[in-house]
mmCIF file of all heavy atoms in Angstrom:
data_model
loop_
_atom_site.group_PDB
_atom_site.id
_atom_site.type_symbol
_atom_site.label_atom_id
_atom_site.label_comp_id
_atom_site.label_asym_id
_atom_site.label_seq_id
_atom_site.Cartn_x
_atom_site.Cartn_y
_atom_site.Cartn_z
ATOM 1 N N LYS C 276 11.923 2.180 0.236
ATOM 2 C CA LYS C 276 10.509 2.497 0.020
ATOM 3 C C LYS C 276 9.634 1.250 0.015
ATOM 4 O O LYS C 276 8.497 1.279 0.492
ATOM 5 C CB LYS C 276 10.330 3.276 -1.286
ATOM 6 C CG LYS C 276 10.553 2.466 -2.545
ATOM 7 C CD LYS C 276 10.313 3.283 -3.793
ATOM 8 C CE LYS C 276 10.595 2.432 -5.035
ATOM 9 N NZ LYS C 276 10.533 3.222 -6.258
ATOM 10 N N GLU C 277 10.145 0.134 -0.526
ATOM 11 C CA GLU C 277 9.331 -1.083 -0.613
ATOM 12 C C GLU C 277 8.917 -1.583 0.765
ATOM 13 O O GLU C 277 7.824 -2.132 0.938
ATOM 14 C CB GLU C 277 10.090 -2.186 -1.355
ATOM 15 C CG GLU C 277 10.286 -1.955 -2.834
ATOM 16 C CD GLU C 277 11.458 -1.037 -3.157
ATOM 17 O OE1 GLU C 277 12.181 -0.646 -2.211
ATOM 18 O OE2 GLU C 277 11.641 -0.711 -4.339
ATOM 19 N N ILE C 278 9.772 -1.375 1.744
ATOM 20 C CA ILE C 278 9.460 -1.802 3.110
ATOM 21 C C ILE C 278 8.422 -0.868 3.736
ATOM 22 O O ILE C 278 7.418 -1.312 4.302
ATOM 23 C CB ILE C 278 10.735 -1.856 3.972
ATOM 24 C CG1 ILE C 278 11.676 -2.941 3.438
ATOM 25 C CG2 ILE C 278 10.409 -2.099 5.437
ATOM 26 C CD1 ILE C 278 13.021 -2.992 4.120
ATOM 27 N N LEU C 279 8.644 0.441 3.605
ATOM 28 C CA LEU C 279 7.737 1.403 4.241
ATOM 29 C C LEU C 279 6.353 1.419 3.605
ATOM 30 O O LEU C 279 5.341 1.576 4.301
ATOM 31 C CB LEU C 279 8.337 2.806 4.181
ATOM 32 C CG LEU C 279 9.397 3.155 5.212
ATOM 33 C CD1 LEU C 279 9.721 4.626 5.154
ATOM 34 C CD2 LEU C 279 8.944 2.785 6.611
ATOM 35 N N LEU C 280 6.291 1.258 2.281
ATOM 36 C CA LEU C 280 5.001 1.349 1.613
ATOM 37 C C LEU C 280 4.106 0.146 1.868
ATOM 38 O O LEU C 280 2.944 0.132 1.488
ATOM 39 C CB LEU C 280 5.204 1.567 0.108
ATOM 40 C CG LEU C 280 5.800 2.925 -0.261
ATOM 41 C CD1 LEU C 280 5.979 3.052 -1.764
ATOM 42 C CD2 LEU C 280 4.937 4.072 0.267
ATOM 43 N N ASN C 281 4.643 -0.857 2.511
ATOM 44 C CA ASN C 281 3.829 -1.983 2.957
ATOM 45 C C ASN C 281 3.276 -1.761 4.356
ATOM 46 O O ASN C 281 2.512 -2.586 4.865
ATOM 47 C CB ASN C 281 4.647 -3.279 2.926
ATOM 48 C CG ASN C 281 4.628 -3.928 1.559
ATOM 49 O OD1 ASN C 281 3.571 -4.209 1.012
ATOM 50 N ND2 ASN C 281 5.805 -4.135 0.988
ATOM 51 N N ASP C 282 3.671 -0.632 4.987
ATOM 52 C CA ASP C 282 3.245 -0.344 6.356
ATOM 53 C C ASP C 282 2.182 0.752 6.343
ATOM 54 O O ASP C 282 2.444 1.917 6.647
ATOM 55 C CB ASP C 282 4.457 0.075 7.191
ATOM 56 C CG ASP C 282 4.172 0.093 8.688
ATOM 57 O OD1 ASP C 282 2.979 0.045 9.053
ATOM 58 O OD2 ASP C 282 5.135 0.146 9.469
ATOM 59 N N GLU C 283 0.978 0.370 5.981
ATOM 60 C CA GLU C 283 -0.126 1.327 5.881
ATOM 61 C C GLU C 283 -0.444 1.975 7.225
ATOM 62 O O GLU C 283 -0.761 3.166 7.304
ATOM 63 C CB GLU C 283 -1.367 0.619 5.336
ATOM 64 C CG GLU C 283 -2.539 1.529 5.061
ATOM 65 C CD GLU C 283 -3.705 0.787 4.440
ATOM 66 O OE1 GLU C 283 -3.627 -0.450 4.303
ATOM 67 O OE2 GLU C 283 -4.702 1.455 4.102
ATOM 68 N N LYS C 284 -0.318 1.211 8.307
ATOM 69 C CA LYS C 284 -0.618 1.736 9.639
ATOM 70 C C LYS C 284 0.318 2.877 10.023
ATOM 71 O O LYS C 284 -0.091 3.828 10.687
ATOM 72 C CB LYS C 284 -0.535 0.612 10.670
ATOM 73 C CG LYS C 284 -1.655 -0.412 10.571
ATOM 74 C CD LYS C 284 -1.547 -1.473 11.658
ATOM 75 C CE LYS C 284 -2.676 -2.476 11.553
ATOM 76 N NZ LYS C 284 -2.570 -3.537 12.597
ATOM 77 N N LEU C 285 1.588 2.779 9.616
ATOM 78 C CA LEU C 285 2.546 3.833 9.926
ATOM 79 C C LEU C 285 2.126 5.147 9.281
ATOM 80 O O LEU C 285 2.126 6.196 9.940
ATOM 81 C CB LEU C 285 3.947 3.437 9.445
ATOM 82 C CG LEU C 285 5.025 4.521 9.563
ATOM 83 C CD1 LEU C 285 5.280 4.865 11.023
ATOM 84 C CD2 LEU C 285 6.309 4.081 8.884
ATOM 85 N N PHE C 286 1.753 5.099 8.017
ATOM 86 C CA PHE C 286 1.326 6.314 7.320
ATOM 87 C C PHE C 286 0.091 6.916 7.987
ATOM 88 O O PHE C 286 0.015 8.137 8.183
ATOM 89 C CB PHE C 286 1.051 6.002 5.843
ATOM 90 C CG PHE C 286 2.279 6.032 4.977
ATOM 91 C CD1 PHE C 286 3.194 4.992 5.019
ATOM 92 C CD2 PHE C 286 2.528 7.102 4.128
ATOM 93 C CE1 PHE C 286 4.336 5.011 4.232
ATOM 94 C CE2 PHE C 286 3.659 7.137 3.346
ATOM 95 C CZ PHE C 286 4.567 6.091 3.391
ATOM 96 N N LYS C 287 -0.859 6.081 8.334
ATOM 97 C CA LYS C 287 -2.076 6.588 8.969
ATOM 98 C C LYS C 287 -1.780 7.206 10.328
ATOM 99 O O LYS C 287 -2.355 8.237 10.698
ATOM 100 C CB LYS C 287 -3.091 5.454 9.116
ATOM 101 C CG LYS C 287 -3.766 5.066 7.812
ATOM 102 C CD LYS C 287 -4.850 4.015 8.047
ATOM 103 C CE LYS C 287 -5.584 3.701 6.753
ATOM 104 N NZ LYS C 287 -6.638 2.684 6.937
ATOM 105 N N SER C 288 -0.873 6.595 11.089
ATOM 106 C CA SER C 288 -0.549 7.106 12.420
ATOM 107 C C SER C 288 0.116 8.474 12.360
ATOM 108 O O SER C 288 0.063 9.243 13.321
ATOM 109 C CB SER C 288 0.364 6.120 13.158
ATOM 110 O OG SER C 288 1.659 6.079 12.567
ATOM 111 N N LEU C 289 0.740 8.787 11.232
ATOM 112 C CA LEU C 289 1.419 10.068 11.066
ATOM 113 C C LEU C 289 0.595 11.056 10.246
ATOM 114 O O LEU C 289 1.080 12.125 9.882
ATOM 115 C CB LEU C 289 2.775 9.851 10.375
ATOM 116 C CG LEU C 289 3.781 9.008 11.162
ATOM 117 C CD1 LEU C 289 4.982 8.670 10.295
ATOM 118 C CD2 LEU C 289 4.224 9.744 12.417
ATOM 119 N N ASN C 290 -0.656 10.684 9.977
ATOM 120 C CA ASN C 290 -1.545 11.516 9.157
ATOM 121 C C ASN C 290 -0.955 11.791 7.782
ATOM 122 O O ASN C 290 -1.109 12.885 7.214
ATOM 123 C CB ASN C 290 -1.862 12.841 9.868
ATOM 124 C CG ASN C 290 -2.676 12.641 11.124
ATOM 125 O OD1 ASN C 290 -3.623 11.856 11.136
ATOM 126 N ND2 ASN C 290 -2.309 13.328 12.192
ATOM 127 N N LEU C 291 -0.278 10.780 7.237
ATOM 128 C CA LEU C 291 0.272 10.860 5.890
ATOM 129 C C LEU C 291 -0.535 9.936 4.990
ATOM 130 O O LEU C 291 -0.901 8.828 5.382
ATOM 131 C CB LEU C 291 1.744 10.440 5.877
ATOM 132 C CG LEU C 291 2.716 11.337 6.639
ATOM 133 C CD1 LEU C 291 4.105 10.708 6.663
ATOM 134 C CD2 LEU C 291 2.785 12.728 6.020
ATOM 135 N N LYS C 292 -0.785 10.415 3.781
ATOM 136 C CA LYS C 292 -1.579 9.631 2.838
ATOM 137 C C LYS C 292 -0.698 8.616 2.122
ATOM 138 O O LYS C 292 0.353 8.960 1.589
ATOM 139 C CB LYS C 292 -2.233 10.564 1.824
ATOM 140 C CG LYS C 292 -3.187 9.869 0.860
ATOM 141 C CD LYS C 292 -3.797 10.889 -0.083
ATOM 142 C CE LYS C 292 -4.727 10.203 -1.090
ATOM 143 N NZ LYS C 292 -5.302 11.190 -2.048
ATOM 144 N N LEU C 293 -1.128 7.359 2.124
ATOM 145 C CA LEU C 293 -0.409 6.330 1.385
ATOM 146 C C LEU C 293 -0.521 6.649 -0.107
ATOM 147 O O LEU C 293 -1.610 6.968 -0.597
ATOM 148 C CB LEU C 293 -1.016 4.958 1.673
ATOM 149 C CG LEU C 293 -0.188 3.729 1.287
ATOM 150 C CD1 LEU C 293 1.065 3.638 2.157
ATOM 151 C CD2 LEU C 293 -1.015 2.454 1.417
ATOM 152 N N PRO C 294 0.598 6.600 -0.858
ATOM 153 C CA PRO C 294 0.532 6.898 -2.296
ATOM 154 C C PRO C 294 -0.510 6.037 -3.008
ATOM 155 O O PRO C 294 -0.740 4.885 -2.643
ATOM 156 C CB PRO C 294 1.950 6.568 -2.782
ATOM 157 C CG PRO C 294 2.812 6.746 -1.591
ATOM 158 C CD PRO C 294 1.968 6.308 -0.419
ATOM 159 N N PHE C 295 -1.120 6.603 -4.032
ATOM 160 C CA PHE C 295 -2.224 5.947 -4.738
ATOM 161 C C PHE C 295 -1.855 4.542 -5.203
ATOM 162 O O PHE C 295 -2.615 3.589 -5.004
ATOM 163 C CB PHE C 295 -2.655 6.794 -5.936
ATOM 164 C CG PHE C 295 -3.645 6.103 -6.835
ATOM 165 C CD1 PHE C 295 -4.985 6.017 -6.473
ATOM 166 C CD2 PHE C 295 -3.228 5.522 -8.036
ATOM 167 C CE1 PHE C 295 -5.895 5.364 -7.296
ATOM 168 C CE2 PHE C 295 -4.135 4.860 -8.852
ATOM 169 C CZ PHE C 295 -5.474 4.791 -8.490
ATOM 170 N N MET C 296 -0.684 4.383 -5.840
ATOM 171 C CA MET C 296 -0.309 3.087 -6.386
ATOM 172 C C MET C 296 -0.077 2.062 -5.282
ATOM 173 O O MET C 296 -0.399 0.882 -5.433
ATOM 174 C CB MET C 296 0.933 3.220 -7.266
ATOM 175 C CG MET C 296 0.682 3.876 -8.615
ATOM 176 S SD MET C 296 -0.587 3.049 -9.596
ATOM 177 C CE MET C 296 0.129 1.408 -9.764
ATOM 178 N N ALA C 297 0.490 2.495 -4.160
ATOM 179 C CA ALA C 297 0.698 1.581 -3.036
ATOM 180 C C ALA C 297 -0.648 1.154 -2.453
ATOM 181 O O ALA C 297 -0.862 -0.025 -2.136
ATOM 182 C CB ALA C 297 1.558 2.237 -1.966
ATOM 183 N N ASP C 298 -1.561 2.106 -2.325
ATOM 184 C CA ASP C 298 -2.896 1.803 -1.797
ATOM 185 C C ASP C 298 -3.654 0.867 -2.739
ATOM 186 O O ASP C 298 -4.274 -0.117 -2.306
ATOM 187 C CB ASP C 298 -3.669 3.110 -1.614
ATOM 188 C CG ASP C 298 -5.015 2.911 -0.943
ATOM 189 O OD1 ASP C 298 -5.063 2.211 0.082
ATOM 190 O OD2 ASP C 298 -6.013 3.439 -1.460
ATOM 191 N N LEU C 299 -3.592 1.151 -4.049
ATOM 192 C CA LEU C 299 -4.265 0.313 -5.037
ATOM 193 C C LEU C 299 -3.674 -1.096 -5.043
ATOM 194 O O LEU C 299 -4.409 -2.096 -5.108
ATOM 195 C CB LEU C 299 -4.137 0.938 -6.427
ATOM 196 C CG LEU C 299 -4.763 0.168 -7.593
ATOM 197 C CD1 LEU C 299 -6.269 0.012 -7.386
ATOM 198 C CD2 LEU C 299 -4.468 0.871 -8.915
ATOM 199 N N SER C 300 -2.359 -1.166 -4.956
ATOM 200 C CA SER C 300 -1.676 -2.461 -4.955
ATOM 201 C C SER C 300 -2.133 -3.313 -3.771
ATOM 202 O O SER C 300 -2.396 -4.517 -3.906
ATOM 203 C CB SER C 300 -0.158 -2.253 -4.915
ATOM 204 O OG SER C 300 0.524 -3.463 -5.056
ATOM 205 N N LYS C 301 -2.261 -2.687 -2.600
ATOM 206 C CA LYS C 301 -2.685 -3.433 -1.409
ATOM 207 C C LYS C 301 -4.131 -3.907 -1.559
ATOM 208 O O LYS C 301 -4.471 -5.038 -1.186
ATOM 209 C CB LYS C 301 -2.530 -2.556 -0.159
ATOM 210 C CG LYS C 301 -1.089 -2.280 0.228
ATOM 211 C CD LYS C 301 -0.997 -1.428 1.481
ATOM 212 C CE LYS C 301 -1.349 -2.236 2.709
ATOM 213 N NZ LYS C 301 -0.362 -3.292 2.980
ATOM 214 N N LYS C 302 -4.995 -3.060 -2.113
ATOM 215 C CA LYS C 302 -6.393 -3.437 -2.289
ATOM 216 C C LYS C 302 -6.536 -4.585 -3.280
ATOM 217 O O LYS C 302 -7.322 -5.519 -3.067
ATOM 218 C CB LYS C 302 -7.209 -2.220 -2.736
ATOM 219 C CG LYS C 302 -7.411 -1.195 -1.625
ATOM 220 C CD LYS C 302 -8.128 0.040 -2.109
ATOM 221 C CE LYS C 302 -8.319 1.040 -0.963
ATOM 222 N NZ LYS C 302 -8.929 2.307 -1.429
ATOM 223 N N LEU C 303 -5.773 -4.531 -4.364
ATOM 224 C CA LEU C 303 -5.849 -5.593 -5.377
ATOM 225 C C LEU C 303 -5.274 -6.903 -4.862
ATOM 226 O O LEU C 303 -5.678 -7.990 -5.312
ATOM 227 C CB LEU C 303 -5.119 -5.155 -6.647
ATOM 228 C CG LEU C 303 -5.781 -4.024 -7.434
ATOM 229 C CD1 LEU C 303 -4.919 -3.644 -8.634
ATOM 230 C CD2 LEU C 303 -7.180 -4.410 -7.897
ATOM 231 N N SER C 304 -4.353 -6.792 -3.896
ATOM 232 C CA SER C 304 -3.780 -8.021 -3.334
ATOM 233 C C SER C 304 -4.823 -8.811 -2.543
ATOM 234 O O SER C 304 -4.724 -10.036 -2.428
ATOM 235 C CB SER C 304 -2.578 -7.685 -2.439
ATOM 236 O OG SER C 304 -2.988 -7.030 -1.252
ATOM 237 N N TYR C 305 -5.846 -8.103 -2.006
ATOM 238 C CA TYR C 305 -6.910 -8.793 -1.281
ATOM 239 C C TYR C 305 -7.685 -9.749 -2.201
ATOM 240 O O TYR C 305 -8.246 -10.745 -1.750
ATOM 241 C CB TYR C 305 -7.896 -7.779 -0.680
ATOM 242 C CG TYR C 305 -7.298 -6.859 0.358
ATOM 243 C CD1 TYR C 305 -7.770 -5.559 0.517
ATOM 244 C CD2 TYR C 305 -6.255 -7.277 1.183
ATOM 245 C CE1 TYR C 305 -7.225 -4.702 1.471
ATOM 246 C CE2 TYR C 305 -5.712 -6.427 2.136
ATOM 247 C CZ TYR C 305 -6.195 -5.146 2.278
ATOM 248 O OH TYR C 305 -5.660 -4.294 3.218
ATOM 249 N N TYR C 306 -7.702 -9.407 -3.495
ATOM 250 C CA TYR C 306 -8.418 -10.232 -4.472
ATOM 251 C C TYR C 306 -7.469 -11.124 -5.274
ATOM 252 O O TYR C 306 -7.866 -11.703 -6.291
ATOM 253 C CB TYR C 306 -9.209 -9.332 -5.424
ATOM 254 C CG TYR C 306 -10.222 -8.457 -4.719
ATOM 255 C CD1 TYR C 306 -9.930 -7.142 -4.391
ATOM 256 C CD2 TYR C 306 -11.472 -8.955 -4.372
ATOM 257 C CE1 TYR C 306 -10.848 -6.336 -3.732
ATOM 258 C CE2 TYR C 306 -12.410 -8.157 -3.713
ATOM 259 C CZ TYR C 306 -12.083 -6.852 -3.398
ATOM 260 O OH TYR C 306 -13.011 -6.070 -2.735
ATOM 261 N N ASN C 307 -6.222 -11.190 -4.781
ATOM 262 C CA ASN C 307 -5.190 -12.017 -5.423
ATOM 263 C C ASN C 307 -4.928 -11.626 -6.880
ATOM 264 O O ASN C 307 -4.529 -12.464 -7.697
ATOM 265 C CB ASN C 307 -5.580 -13.503 -5.360
ATOM 266 C CG ASN C 307 -5.623 -14.023 -3.939
ATOM 267 O OD1 ASN C 307 -4.749 -13.697 -3.132
ATOM 268 N ND2 ASN C 307 -6.636 -14.815 -3.621
ATOM 269 N N LEU C 308 -5.157 -10.348 -7.187
ATOM 270 C CA LEU C 308 -4.872 -9.866 -8.541
ATOM 271 C C LEU C 308 -3.404 -9.490 -8.698
ATOM 272 O O LEU C 308 -2.855 -9.545 -9.791
ATOM 273 C CB LEU C 308 -5.762 -8.664 -8.863
ATOM 274 C CG LEU C 308 -7.256 -8.996 -8.981
ATOM 275 C CD1 LEU C 308 -8.083 -7.728 -9.117
ATOM 276 C CD2 LEU C 308 -7.499 -9.916 -10.169
ATOM 277 N N VAL C 309 -2.788 -9.067 -7.598
ATOM 278 C CA VAL C 309 -1.332 -8.874 -7.554
ATOM 279 C C VAL C 309 -0.847 -9.486 -6.252
ATOM 280 O O VAL C 309 -1.577 -9.508 -5.257
ATOM 281 C CB VAL C 309 -0.924 -7.380 -7.639
ATOM 282 C CG1 VAL C 309 -1.307 -6.768 -8.971
ATOM 283 C CG2 VAL C 309 -1.540 -6.584 -6.497
ATOM 284 N N ASN C 310 0.361 -10.001 -6.262
ATOM 285 C CA ASN C 310 0.864 -10.638 -5.035
ATOM 286 C C ASN C 310 2.075 -9.931 -4.445
ATOM 287 O O ASN C 310 2.630 -10.363 -3.451
ATOM 288 C CB ASN C 310 1.187 -12.120 -5.282
ATOM 289 C CG ASN C 310 2.119 -12.307 -6.471
ATOM 290 O OD1 ASN C 310 2.780 -11.362 -6.892
ATOM 291 N ND2 ASN C 310 2.153 -13.509 -7.012
ATOM 292 N N THR C 311 2.512 -8.824 -5.096
ATOM 293 C CA THR C 311 3.613 -8.025 -4.566
ATOM 294 C C THR C 311 3.257 -6.546 -4.709
ATOM 295 O O THR C 311 2.360 -6.187 -5.490
ATOM 296 C CB THR C 311 4.931 -8.291 -5.323
ATOM 297 O OG1 THR C 311 4.740 -8.009 -6.720
ATOM 298 C CG2 THR C 311 5.389 -9.730 -5.135
ATOM 299 N N LEU C 312 3.955 -5.706 -3.966
ATOM 300 C CA LEU C 312 3.741 -4.262 -4.076
ATOM 301 C C LEU C 312 4.128 -3.804 -5.480
ATOM 302 O O LEU C 312 5.255 -4.007 -5.914
ATOM 303 C CB LEU C 312 4.591 -3.531 -3.031
ATOM 304 C CG LEU C 312 4.456 -2.006 -2.982
ATOM 305 C CD1 LEU C 312 3.077 -1.611 -2.470
ATOM 306 C CD2 LEU C 312 5.536 -1.403 -2.094
ATOM 307 N N GLU C 313 3.191 -3.204 -6.193
ATOM 308 C CA GLU C 313 3.453 -2.748 -7.553
ATOM 309 C C GLU C 313 3.182 -1.245 -7.638
ATOM 310 O O GLU C 313 2.071 -0.800 -7.377
ATOM 311 C CB GLU C 313 2.561 -3.494 -8.545
ATOM 312 C CG GLU C 313 2.830 -3.134 -9.989
ATOM 313 C CD GLU C 313 4.292 -3.275 -10.356
ATOM 314 O OE1 GLU C 313 4.777 -4.419 -10.450
ATOM 315 O OE2 GLU C 313 4.944 -2.219 -10.533
ATOM 316 N N LEU C 314 4.228 -0.471 -7.993
ATOM 317 C CA LEU C 314 4.121 0.981 -7.963
ATOM 318 C C LEU C 314 4.062 1.615 -9.342
ATOM 319 O O LEU C 314 3.985 2.828 -9.466
ATOM 320 C CB LEU C 314 5.302 1.572 -7.174
ATOM 321 C CG LEU C 314 5.422 1.093 -5.726
ATOM 322 C CD1 LEU C 314 6.686 1.654 -5.082
ATOM 323 C CD2 LEU C 314 4.190 1.472 -4.912
#
């Protein structure tokens, strides 16, 4: 799961919603608030 949940494009291409925590983790990483996927 840790590998797939870092692939946001894959989920979008399959019309699957990225889980909330994975999406939040990626957004917070843009602001350097987290540096790894946190679920």
Side-chain angles (χ1 to χ4, degrees):
K276 71 178 178 187
E277 290 82 5
I278 295 174
L279 280 189
L280 292 179
N281 275 304
D282 193 346
E283 186 176 4
K284 290 182 179 179
L285 173 65
F286 276 75
K287 285 185 176 180
S288 69
L289 297 171
N290 294 317
L291 295 174
K292 185 179 178 182
L293 195 67
F295 172 78
M296 286 304 300
D298 186 48
L299 179 61
S300 186
K301 290 181 74 66
K302 288 176 180 176
L303 291 177
S304 70
Y305 297 148
Y306 301 97
N307 295 318
L308 293 172
V309 295
N310 53 18
T311 58
L312 182 69
E313 183 53 71
L314 301 175

